[in-house]
Amino acid sequence: MLLSFLPPGLTPDIALLLLACSVFTSMVTAALGAGGGVMLLALMAMWVPPAAVIPVHGIIQLGSNAGRMTLTWRHVDWRVIAAFAPGVVLGALAGSLVLVSLPPWAWQVTIALFVLYLCWGPKLPPMALGRGGILAASALTSFISLFVGATGPLVAAFIKQIHTDRFTTVATFATAMTLQHLPKALVFGLAGFMFRDWAVFLAAMIACGFAGTWLGLRLLGRLGNRAFRNVFNVLLTLLAARLLWLAWLQWAG
């Protein structure tokens, strides 16, 4: 009976393992601000068919971030979101029309270096954090996300430059990523990806992600803003280091 609901290429034991991973990774993102999406992407890449990884991950992250946005909507900085939304449209449109010839390692190095700069470099000038800077960051990350699916740390690091309150950071990041994952369903659907084959699995992953988000927000409430920023920077640095390591393996191979 269970097999009839599974998408092609997934066994029941792997499906159950990924459902547990959805709970854990969503809890990590809600409690620490970022990291869960990249962690889930790495885990899915081990068992999900390669052609399905980015579109399926995108829908799961859409649901996970939408759930986190729903639970934290009172803390969202809507001024930032108003500037971020048009960039999502521009970046997704450009990504759907342009054939990108750069290898994945080049994107990974670029993202990692930007994340490290945003975490440990000097604070960005006010102009870069204004409407124009937010629009540019949104368009660039939305464009890249269609090809590598790992721009969450970069968006998180950018939003961290704007806010110091942990709940505002988490809520605004969740809303920004909800917007950024929305076009993926349209782009990959128009490209012919069969989302209906994955519908039951996607619904289960999103439900598990919502449970993880609820748990993570309970943990977030116990952290102070200073502790949150310190953990956030360390986590983003580890994610950047992982991207550099993956880029090195691809370049050397």
Side-chain angles (χ1 to χ4, degrees), residues 26 32 40 50 59 83 94 167 188 241:
S26 292
L32 304 180
L40 184 61
I59 298 301
F167 279 101
F188 286 107

Side-chain angles (χ1 to χ4, degrees), residues 129-216:
L129 299 176
R131 293 184 62 86
I134 295 170
L135 175 66
S138 171
L140 177 62
T141 56
S142 297
F143 177 83
I144 298 173
S145 71
L146 292 173
F147 304 98
V148 298
T151 56
L154 181 54
V155 177
F158 183 80
I159 290 177
K160 181 189 72 70
Q161 291 264 327
I162 304 174
H163 296 293
T164 57
D165 178 75
R166 64 193 187 282
F167 279 101
T168 303
T169 299
V170 168
T172 306
F173 173 59
T175 307
M177 294 308 294
T178 298
L179 293 175
Q180 194 166 86
H181 285 296
L182 268 173
K184 288 187 178 183
L186 177 61
V187 171
F188 286 107
L190 291 175
F193 185 77
M194 303 298 289
F195 281 111
R196 67 172 177 267
D197 294 340
W198 293 78
V200 175
F201 176 74
L202 286 171
M205 288 289 284
I206 291 171
C208 288
F210 188 85
T213 293
W214 186 87
L215 292 172

Side-chain angles (χ1 to χ4, degrees), residues 22 40 44 55-65 201-202 205-206:
S22 182
L40 184 61
M44 289 177 60
V56 170
H57 177 264
I59 298 301
I60 294 169
Q61 289 304 106
L62 170 61
S64 180
N65 282 286
F201 176 74
L202 286 171
M205 288 289 284
I206 291 171

Side-chain angles (χ1 to χ4, degrees), residues 35-59:
V38 175
M39 193 183 304
L40 184 61
L41 180 64
L43 291 166
M44 289 177 60
M46 297 172 63
W47 298 295
V48 174
V53 171
I54 290 182
V56 170
H57 177 264
I59 298 301

